[in-house]
Amino acid sequence: MKSILNKILLIFTICTLLITIIGSIAGIILFNTASNTSIFIKENSKPIYIYDDKETLISSDSLYYEYCSIQEVSPEIIHAVISIEDKDFYTHPGISIPRIFSSIYQNMKNGSIISGASTITQQYIKNTYFTNEKTFSRKINEIAYALELEKKYTKDQIMEAYLNTVLFGSNIYGIKMAARYYFNKSPKEITTNEAAILAGMIQLPNHYNPLRNPEAATTRKNLVLRRMWEENYITEEKYNELIKIPAKDIVQKGFTNTKITYLTPYFDYLFSSLPQNSDTITSIYTYLDTDIQKTLYSIMNNDYKLFNDDDLNCAIVVLDNETYGVKAIAGNRSYNQRVISYASDVLLQPGSTIKPLLDYAPAIEYLNYNPATIIWDEEYTYKNGTKLKNYDNQYLGAITLRKALSDSRNIPAVKLFNQVGYERAFQFVEKLGIEKKDTIYEADAIGGTTTGYTLLSLANAYQGFANLGYYKKAVPYQKIQYDLTSYVNDTPAKLVMKPTTAYLINSMLHDVFKGSTFDQKNTYMMAKTGQTNFDQATIKKYHLPWNATKDSLLIAYTKDMTIGVWVGYEKISDGKFLDYYKKNIPRSIMKLLLDTFAKKGQYYEEIEGINKSYITIYDNQAYLAKDYGYYEYFLEGTQPLTYPNYEIRA
């Protein structure tokens, strides 16, 4: 029975192939009657229309592109592209009959529409003349155009046209811009390893982007190199030499952007974060707030005179808590060059900004702790024997969780982390988009992670508090319109913690700047700062003060918006550290943005499951207070029920 079905499938496949060829001939006739417009695209012929949060068109020229002739292209690039994409490019007539036959057979076997088998000529035709619709008629026309194109133009002309229409990640189109963007070189200067990276990106440009995903880019690069070796473009010795070099060590800085506007950082982030889809994008509706983005641009250009050192770098993200949309973003003060984004790409040590997420919220969620729960701030030694200190080298004894968090004490944070348990603590933050590390240390509790998190992911995680337990990954796009389909970002947020947990964290984080010059007078604000320090070897090498600050972070939020700010130096050098003024710059940026853009009168109503009691702390325990007390919030059922017995103690 199985052999009969295979024979039927084979006959059907052959008939389909014949129909395809006949259709191709018909397509050629149609093609010959079409206009004789040149195949070469010297300008972007398919603009992408981008709209802001009010659906106002803000750009149709957001792509990086510059035309490149084949004479400007290194042979290494051509060899790499041919090896991985179409090894018979210089010998086939535009299509590959064996590949088409194999593709038809496999697709019929799987019950799907024709896909795959595309030569470079066909890929160019698809990129230029057609949509990505997967139908027999489109494939037939694609084959027809490819055959006719090969008759009218030389292989070098087709290769030139192809290399000028390929997407190389984010919004980088064409080989000339790609060579400049990733390697600060002309295409003529590209080496074998660099060519392998570029050729490898063609299949999935964003996934194999060496800046955003260096490990995947390295794996793909090495596959391209292997194909080049198999096709005799490189020797086995050279192959073995080149595969040892990771992609992150090959990319270079220095790309100069000649089209700088206040929108550039947002567009760069937008295109690098788009979901993988082979269809052609026609328009993107974003969450961009142009007023906030302009302000970020002014901050980075130092129009507000916040930076007293041109080498001091900064990153800022602004999120909408209702939509989980990215309202504005700026990842580096060096806008005029291709530089990595400290907002969305660089993994930063979070410092104390991790404490509410990894220590305090899990303790409330799983252990039913309250802001008035007592914890001892005392001498403490890590399990490996290292002595842990607070920022002020002091111990406060028995203090409440509210005091411990608002004052950012290290020892209580580590104690909570241990009481909750490493695994459970990280299970909690994983639901907020914070990835669990392969190896966990006690120092993770206070931000001493060996890897880190992006500023964007930290701000996004805090939205779980702002939205009383609900979380969704923040993205810059509301809707993406493709040539045939569309994607709408309408996935609902998930409840990832008890609303009462978020409510109590908000109450404690409201105290961080309460009554200070950075507080908000007309709305309810929560915030957490974080700083990182240099190790002793670095301090000695670069002649830094013993208490020099390396990075300064801040996450602040109101009911409607969340802000993340980082300030630091990109490179460690003599005398470069954050002094008292510099490490407080994030606070000034926070106040500027919230004063200008936060909605007024945004407060949280008391929610079910929370009890408000008038208490006093006596003998290291919370009691109801008759006088000289203060109001505190408790999880329902855990509030004090008795008054202190002063007489017995006396």
Side-chain angles (χ1 to χ4, degrees), residues 170-419:
S170 299
N171 46 351
I172 311 300
Y173 276 86
I175 193 65
K176 190 169 188 176
M177 191 58 70
R180 186 187 303 168
Y181 189 85
Y182 294 107
F183 306 111
N184 194 28
K185 292 182 177 180
S186 71
K188 197 75 172 177
E189 300 171 309
I190 292 297
T191 65
T192 304
N193 240 348
E194 294 165 347
I197 290 177
L198 295 175
M201 294 178 68
I202 294 174
Q203 184 186 66
L204 292 172
N206 283 337
H207 180 68
Y208 294 123
N209 186 322
L211 296 173
R212 296 185 59 83
N213 201 350
E215 292 184 0
T218 299
T219 301
R220 181 68 175 170
K221 169 187 76 76
N222 291 344
L223 174 61
V224 175
L225 290 171
R226 182 172 184 84
R227 296 287 175 82
M228 292 179 73
W229 167 37
E230 292 170 349
E231 295 301 315
N232 296 316
Y233 288 120
I234 60 175
T235 64
E236 182 178 4
E237 181 182 6
K238 188 170 186 178
Y239 164 74
N240 289 325
E241 173 190 339
L242 295 180
I243 62 173
K244 297 176 183 177
I245 307 174
K248 66 181 179 62
D249 293 341
I250 302 172
V251 290
Q252 299 291 328
K253 296 181 179 178
F255 164 73
T256 300
N257 185 354
T258 58
K259 299 193 298 182
I260 289 294
T261 73
Y262 75 96
L263 295 170
T264 300
Y266 195 93
F267 288 164
D268 286 350
Y269 164 65
L270 169 67
F271 280 94
S272 68
S273 63
L274 292 175
Q276 294 289 344
N277 194 313
S278 59
D279 291 346
T280 301
I281 297 174
T282 58
S283 59
I284 306 173
Y285 293 82
T286 73
Y287 293 106
L288 171 68
D289 185 312
T290 54
D291 290 333
I292 299 179
Q293 187 66 32
K294 286 177 182 177
T295 301
L296 264 55
Y297 188 72
S298 295
I299 291 172
M300 296 303 224
N301 282 332
N302 210 20
D303 294 343
Y304 293 95
K305 307 301 180 185
L306 296 175
F307 303 101
N308 57 3
D309 184 346
D310 290 339
D311 292 332
L312 194 57
N313 214 337
C314 180
I316 311 171
V317 296
V318 181
L319 309 180
D320 187 316
N321 292 340
E322 180 180 356
T323 64
Y324 294 89
V326 179
K327 296 171 74 70
I329 190 167
N332 203 300
R333 292 186 65 207
S334 301
Y335 277 173
N336 64 329
Q337 290 186 326
R338 194 277 293 159
V339 284
I340 197 164
S341 171
Y342 281 86
S344 59
D345 296 333
V346 176
L347 298 178
L348 302 167
Q349 281 198 329
S352 294
T353 62
I354 201 66
K355 291 176 182 175
L357 298 165
L358 195 58
D359 310 325
Y360 288 84
I364 295 170
E365 180 85 359
Y366 301 127
L367 305 180
N368 290 331
Y369 284 5
N370 294 295
T373 297
I374 298 297
I375 193 163
W376 282 85
D377 181 23
E378 58 191 349
E379 288 191 31
Y380 185 87
T381 302
Y382 284 133
K383 294 175 182 178
N384 65 4
T386 303
K387 189 173 182 180
L388 176 62
K389 297 180 180 180
N390 292 310
Y391 71 90
D392 58 1
N393 292 318
Q394 302 294 318
Y395 308 108
L396 301 185
I399 57 175
T400 63
L401 293 196
R402 180 179 293 277
K403 173 64 176 177
L405 179 56
S406 62
D407 198 34
S408 201
R409 314 299 292 178
N410 284 337
I411 292 167
V414 173
K415 283 187 172 183
L416 291 175
F417 185 57
N418 285 323
Q419 290 171 20

Side-chain angles (χ1 to χ4, degrees), residues 543-555:
H543 312 99
L544 305 174
W546 68 270
N547 61 344
T549 299
K550 180 176 178 287
D551 304 282
S552 181
L553 298 91
L554 184 149
I555 310 293

Side-chain angles (χ1 to χ4, degrees), residues 143-158:
I143 292 171
Y145 271 57
L147 291 170
E148 185 63 19
L149 205 66
E150 293 271 355
K151 289 166 59 178
K152 286 189 172 184
Y153 299 96
T154 68
K155 289 288 187 178
D156 282 350
Q157 287 177 312
I158 294 171

